Amino acid sequence: MPTPAPVTPTGHELVVVANRLPVDSRTLPDGATEWVTSPGGLVTAMESVMRTVDSGAWVGWAGSPGEAPEPFEADGMSLFPVALSAEDVEKYYEGFSNATLWPLYHDVIVDPEFHRGWWDSYVAANRRFARTAAEVAGAHGTVWVHDYQLQLAPRLIREQRDDLRIGFFNHIPFPSVELFSQLPKRTQILRGLLGADLVGFQRESDTQNFLTSVRKLLGHHVDGQTVHVPGIGSAPGRQVQARTFPISIDSAAVSELTQQEEIIERAAQLRRDLGEPRRIVLGVDRLDYTKGIRHRLKAWGELLDEGIIDPQDTVMIQVATPSRERVDAYRQLRDEVELTVGRINGDHAPIGRPAVSYQHRSFDRRDMTALYMAADVVLVTALRDGMNLVAKEYVASRPDLRGVLVLSEFAGAADELRAAITVNPHDIDALKGAILRALEMAPEDQEEAMTSLRHQVMEHDVQAWAHSFLEQLEQTGSPETRQPPRIRLSGDAVSEPAAVDAALQALVERPRLLIASDFDGVLAPIVADRDAVEPDQRSLAVLRELATLPGVSVALVSGRALADLDQHTSMPSSVVLVGSHGAEVGALPAEMHAEVLDSAALTMTPERRELLDSITLALQRIALAHPGAEVETKPAAAVLHTRNARGRGGANATEEALELAMTLPDVTVTPGKEVVEFSVVHTSKGAAMEALSRAYAADAWIYLGDDVTDETVFGRLGEGDVGIKVGGGDTAASLRIAGTDEVRGVLEALLAARRDRA
């Protein structure tokens, strides 16, 4: 690599942020340092992408603890090293990243460790990476953050640079909500990821796990693959996309290596070195407990013990690249693997030839290709893997259309490489059967399967993966398509009357106007006895009058059940009532009803009724344990009310209800002011308001709300819309007023201004 050159510190069009730089340092005999390009798949992918931009930069750790080198240029990329101390390496990298997150995200194959000090280091390291990325990115540039070590970085970058497009790609699996909920800092991780405009995953199941966690643990509205993130403080509400982008390899480059005479000879020499066995079975992995090496060796040992495989004509090669050898679980794994290999060879190896050739070292790309070319069967038996590129490398290395791939169904590659022999590696008998099928596969069957596999791998290479992600990010996070920043409110300070008047005056000039409001806390003061609520009758009267004006539509959107809301408001049919946070909609013209109410999503099936009954019973048990708490039942929901609970009873009951929520991944749980609602249909006030706006073809709308559940509406404010928060608390609304008296004033001002316009 050329001598590092100075780099431009800012203004880069594309910034890649990863735990490691794309180069490794090597000390020369004279003591000088040389930087050598890393062989990893991410480096291969991004090299081609970087060549398509005018100015690309890479932010990452240089690999050695201590002071970071000065930024330098290498292979057309500006590299910006981030410093990690020895303590950072221990706590941020080996600790929280690899002893907490890694096992948790891989289905708890080993128990994750939780230490608060590790979290502090993880936060500090993420801040360092984010600060560097924010400093070097150009105006309206793109930042692409990679992998589980940097899950907080997207939000930290956005806090500094809201003009940027920010993408995040998770290279490892994302766990189910039941497993992810074990993480002590789970909500901080989710909020960190939601700082991105686009969050990418290897498999569709990972994407769905993430979306379920966001919905269950944060309460955000999820619409398909879109997360509606409400604004907080000065940050506007945003939409975040979660999509699936299965990573690949530089397939053409790997395939081209197989044509080189030197590598062809290396493959032949390997067979000669092993005594020209009839068949070679190969496993290639990092030495990691997720890779299923122990299961593979157990199956192989049993096949030898049973005499089904003859070690005289069939040899296994196991490459186990060293990995994280300072971590106890990895040291223990190495000891177990080496003991197993020793036992198998002691029991079965012929003189002068191993039954298992164990290689605990790294191989360069050329030697690895020769191994693939020599192997008749490759075993990929991961217990859990984001993708596993070994499977794709083997396929790309076989233009001769020979060889058989045995592939774990728990590896992401199994979603794409359907012509492989798939297997559950936990089932040792099934794994043995898959190995035997592979060894006995006829040449014509090998050719048919490999033709299919190569079509997939060669057509969908790593460059296609990178460009697909960046193209989607361009569409998702383009600053030109974002809503313009709006004033965001924190604390309790009310808006200036002039600001409210100006917003209302602009609003009433719109031809088609939708006016909507929450009920409790807005049109009626909050009271301890929900049945004794006394709404402001003048406010209700003004809403009725507004509904008679040309071009004006009016709606009440409440958490109350529809019948309850109707009873307390006595509104005419010209005012639409929406109850149960959008799960119940009152009378509408027939042509509008389908637009507002998705009957398939909201239908109360027998299964949903049974689920609702069980939730109601569970909440009633919680209420009985905390005097004063009570349970309200609705057609599609059960609600725990804690306003009248004694002492700490309300907080304790709420905590127990939220613990119950963790066991119900298919239920929408909405915490509010001293309430927790469990709905067996998936909706929100924001979704209902959005549907009403479409149905009425409103040019703009105004919404008044006081509760955290109203933030799902405020988070959808578009240009020209007005959101008014009633009372204190942080909000994504653009204006704030004090209480129900001020609500009456706003509604009267709207009525007068709209009449004047008419």
Side-chain angles (χ1 to χ4, degrees):
M1 178 175 292
T3 303
V7 300
T8 304
T10 59
H12 294 280
E13 180 183 343
L14 173 63
V15 178
V16 173
V17 187
N19 181 63
R20 288 293 302 272
L21 288 175
V23 293
D24 295 321
S25 62
R26 185 166 63 190
T27 303
L28 300 175
D30 62 1
T33 298
E34 178 184 44
W35 294 98
V36 181
T37 303
S38 302
L42 177 60
V43 178
T44 304
M46 297 314 300
E47 274 184 334
S48 63
V49 176
M50 290 293 196
R51 296 190 195 107
T52 68
V53 299
D54 294 332
S55 177
W58 191 303
V59 173
W61 176 44
S64 298
E67 293 296 322
E70 289 298 314
F72 60 94
E73 181 102 4
D75 286 350
M77 291 183 287
S78 299
L79 305 184
F80 291 84
V82 174
L84 292 179
S85 67
E87 184 179 13
D88 291 328
V89 174
E90 177 189 353
K91 295 181 177 179
Y92 146 73
Y93 182 68
E94 295 175 350
F96 194 80
S97 294
N98 291 322
T100 301
L101 293 175
W102 179 271
L104 186 70
Y105 281 33
H106 286 85
D107 291 355
V108 194
I109 294 170
V110 303
D111 291 334
E113 299 178 42
F114 303 114
H115 298 286
R116 282 173 287 182
W118 289 359
W119 168 253
D120 295 338
S121 184
Y122 186 81
V123 173
N126 271 252
R127 287 191 186 281
R128 214 169 302 150
F129 282 89
R131 183 170 58 249
T132 303
E135 289 170 353
V136 304
H140 303 295
T142 296
V143 177
W144 191 359
V145 183
H146 288 268
D147 226 358
Y148 64 104
Q149 302 96 341
L150 299 174
Q151 293 176 103
L152 303 180
R155 183 178 184 180
L156 295 171
I157 295 168
R158 184 164 300 284
E159 288 174 353
Q160 302 171 71
R161 294 284 305 278
D162 190 47
D163 64 301
L164 300 173
R165 299 180 187 89
I166 302 173
F168 179 90
F169 186 77
N170 197 57
H171 290 259
I172 68 173
F174 195 90
S176 66
V177 65
E178 293 80 9
L179 290 177
F180 185 73
S181 296
Q182 296 180 23
L183 188 63
K185 303 298 181 180
R186 60 201 186 190
T187 57
Q188 291 93 321
I189 293 291
L190 292 176
R191 291 192 176 98
L193 292 171
L194 290 174
D197 297 294
L198 175 63
V199 185
F201 298 92
Q202 301 276 27
R203 309 183 78 172
E204 186 60 30
S205 58
D206 299 327
T207 304
Q208 293 306 315
N209 285 345
F210 170 73
L211 291 171
T212 301
S213 293
V214 166
R215 182 169 57 81
K216 290 292 299 176
L217 301 178
L218 295 182
H220 292 345
H221 175 63
V222 176
D223 182 10
Q225 295 176 309
T226 303
V227 179
H228 298 274
V229 181
I232 298 176
S234 62
R238 301 168 41 252
Q239 292 186 356
V240 178
Q241 296 290 311
R243 299 290 181 93
T244 304
F245 302 90
I247 199 171
S248 192
I249 61 171
D250 191 348
S251 355
V254 173
S255 193
E256 286 170 8
L257 286 175
T258 66
Q259 308 304 312
Q260 296 184 14
E261 290 297 331
E262 179 188 353
I263 295 178
I264 294 171
E265 174 54 30
R266 286 190 195 185
Q269 185 62 49
L270 276 168
R271 298 192 77 95
R272 290 194 293 270
D273 291 344
L274 291 169
E276 293 287 3
R278 188 166 68 88
R279 297 172 299 190
I280 294 176
V281 176
L282 175 65
V284 178
D285 310 271
R286 277 191 313 104
L287 189 59
D288 190 289
Y289 47 76
T290 65
K291 301 300 183 181
I293 300 173
R294 286 174 292 197
H295 297 65
R296 184 184 313 158
L297 290 173
K298 180 176 178 59
W300 190 255
E302 289 188 8
L303 288 170
L304 291 169
D305 290 341
E306 294 162 7
I308 299 172
I309 287 180
D310 182 357
Q312 294 286 349
D313 69 3
T314 304
V315 175
M316 180 179 182
I317 303 173
Q318 177 60 58
V319 175
T321 305
S323 173
R324 303 170 188 164
E325 298 204 322
R326 291 173 52 178
V327 179
D328 287 342
Y330 289 81
R331 287 198 296 264
Q332 180 181 344
L333 174 64
R334 179 179 179 179
D335 290 343
E336 291 179 12
V337 168
E338 291 179 353
L339 282 170
T340 302
V341 169
R343 181 191 61 76
I344 291 174
N345 280 331
D347 290 345
H348 300 289
I351 294 176
R353 177 192 296 175
V356 177
S357 176
Y358 177 69
Q359 307 293 319
H360 181 60
R361 59 189 178 90
S362 300
F363 286 77
D364 65 24
R365 173 58 52 213
R366 300 171 69 82
D367 284 337
M368 200 69 257
T369 303
L371 275 169
Y372 290 138
M373 293 171 67
D376 300 285
V377 175
V378 163
L379 304 180
V380 175
T381 58
L383 305 180
R384 189 77 163 92
D385 218 334
M387 177 53 61
N388 196 292
L389 296 179
V390 166
K392 296 187 176 185
E393 289 170 353
Y394 179 55
V395 170
S397 300
R398 300 311 299 251
D400 61 348
L401 304 182
R402 290 292 182 270
V404 184
L405 174 63
V406 175
L407 180 58
S408 166
E409 63 190 62
F410 302 114
D415 291 350
E416 300 177 274
L417 304 183
R418 300 183 183 277
I421 296 176
T422 55
V423 65
N424 173 6
H426 296 278
D427 186 339
I428 300 301
D429 289 333
L431 181 53
K432 289 159 63 178
I435 293 171
L436 292 176
R437 278 181 60 202
L439 289 171
E440 295 166 1
M441 186 176 286
E444 58 271 22
D445 294 332
Q446 294 182 32
E447 181 172 339
E448 181 181 353
M450 191 58 72
T451 299
S452 171
L453 294 171
R454 281 183 61 80
H455 175 76
Q456 175 66 32
V457 171
M458 302 306 290
E459 292 293 322
H460 301 88
D461 63 6
V462 72
Q463 287 82 12
W465 165 79
H467 285 287
S468 173
F469 185 95
L470 290 172
E471 285 173 7
Q472 181 63 46
L473 178 57
E474 180 80 16
Q475 298 170 19
T476 304
S478 173
E480 291 78 9
T481 63
R482 291 192 192 133
Q483 297 172 3
R486 302 188 304 276
I487 297 172
R488 297 291 152 174
L489 306 175
S490 59
D492 299 328
V494 298
S495 302
E496 292 291 334
V500 177
D501 290 343
L504 298 182
Q505 192 59 49
L507 187 73
V508 296
E509 294 302 319
R510 298 300 183 107
R512 293 182 301 277
L513 177 62
L514 172 60
I515 300 170
S517 173
D518 187 13
F519 179 71
D520 292 285
V522 179
L523 300 175
I526 298 290
V527 293
D529 183 356
R530 286 171 51 81
D531 293 331
V533 66
E534 291 288 345
D536 186 300
Q537 293 300 326
R538 175 57 185 159
S539 292
L540 295 181
V542 172
L543 287 170
R544 294 185 189 102
E545 289 185 62
L546 281 165
T548 67
L549 298 180
V552 176
S553 305
V554 177
L556 298 185
V557 183
S558 173
R560 286 179 179 258
L562 184 63
D564 190 14
L565 181 63
D566 187 22
Q567 176 187 342
H568 287 292
T569 59
S570 301
M571 283 295 182
S573 59
S574 56
V575 176
V576 175
L577 301 184
V578 179
S580 301
H581 299 287
E584 297 180 281
V585 180
L588 284 168
E591 68 274 13
M592 293 173 53
H593 203 274
E595 182 72 39
V596 177
L597 191 61
D598 180 354
S599 59
L602 302 183
T603 299
M604 283 298 291
T605 62
E607 293 78 13
R608 283 177 172 162
R609 293 190 186 282
E610 183 179 350
L611 177 59
L612 179 58
D613 289 344
S614 68
I615 293 170
T616 303
L617 286 173
L619 292 180
Q620 287 171 343
R621 293 189 194 100
I622 293 173
L624 285 172
H626 302 284
E630 56 186 4
V631 177
E632 175 193 7
T633 58
K634 299 180 182 180
V639 189
L640 177 70
H641 293 273
T642 59
R643 184 171 291 119
N644 297 323
R646 303 171 191 167
R648 286 278 305 163
N652 293 338
T654 298
E655 184 175 342
E656 290 178 28
L658 293 176
E659 288 177 359
L660 171 65
M662 295 303 97
T663 68
L664 301 167
D666 295 324
V667 175
T668 297
V669 179
T670 308
K673 284 185 177 179
E674 300 178 290
V675 298
V676 183
E677 178 160 331
F678 291 69
S679 176
V680 294
V681 297
H682 303 315
T683 186
S684 69
K685 290 181 179 179
M689 189 65 186
E690 201 169 65
L692 285 169
S693 179
R694 288 195 307 269
Y696 283 113
D699 297 305
W701 49 264
I702 181 173
Y703 184 83
L704 298 96
D706 75 310
D707 201 350
V708 293
T709 59
D710 298 309
E711 294 302 315
T712 63
V713 180
F714 296 141
R716 288 169 164 78
L717 288 168
E719 185 175 2
D721 299 332
V722 175
I724 299 182
K725 170 77 169 183
V726 181
D730 290 353
T731 181
S734 46
L735 298 167
R736 185 196 307 278
I737 57 178
T740 54
D741 290 344
E742 288 73 20
V743 170
R744 184 194 320 121
V746 166
L747 296 176
E748 289 176 336
L750 277 171
L751 178 61
R754 191 70 182 191
R755 278 176 171 166
D756 289 345
R757 179 183 184 278

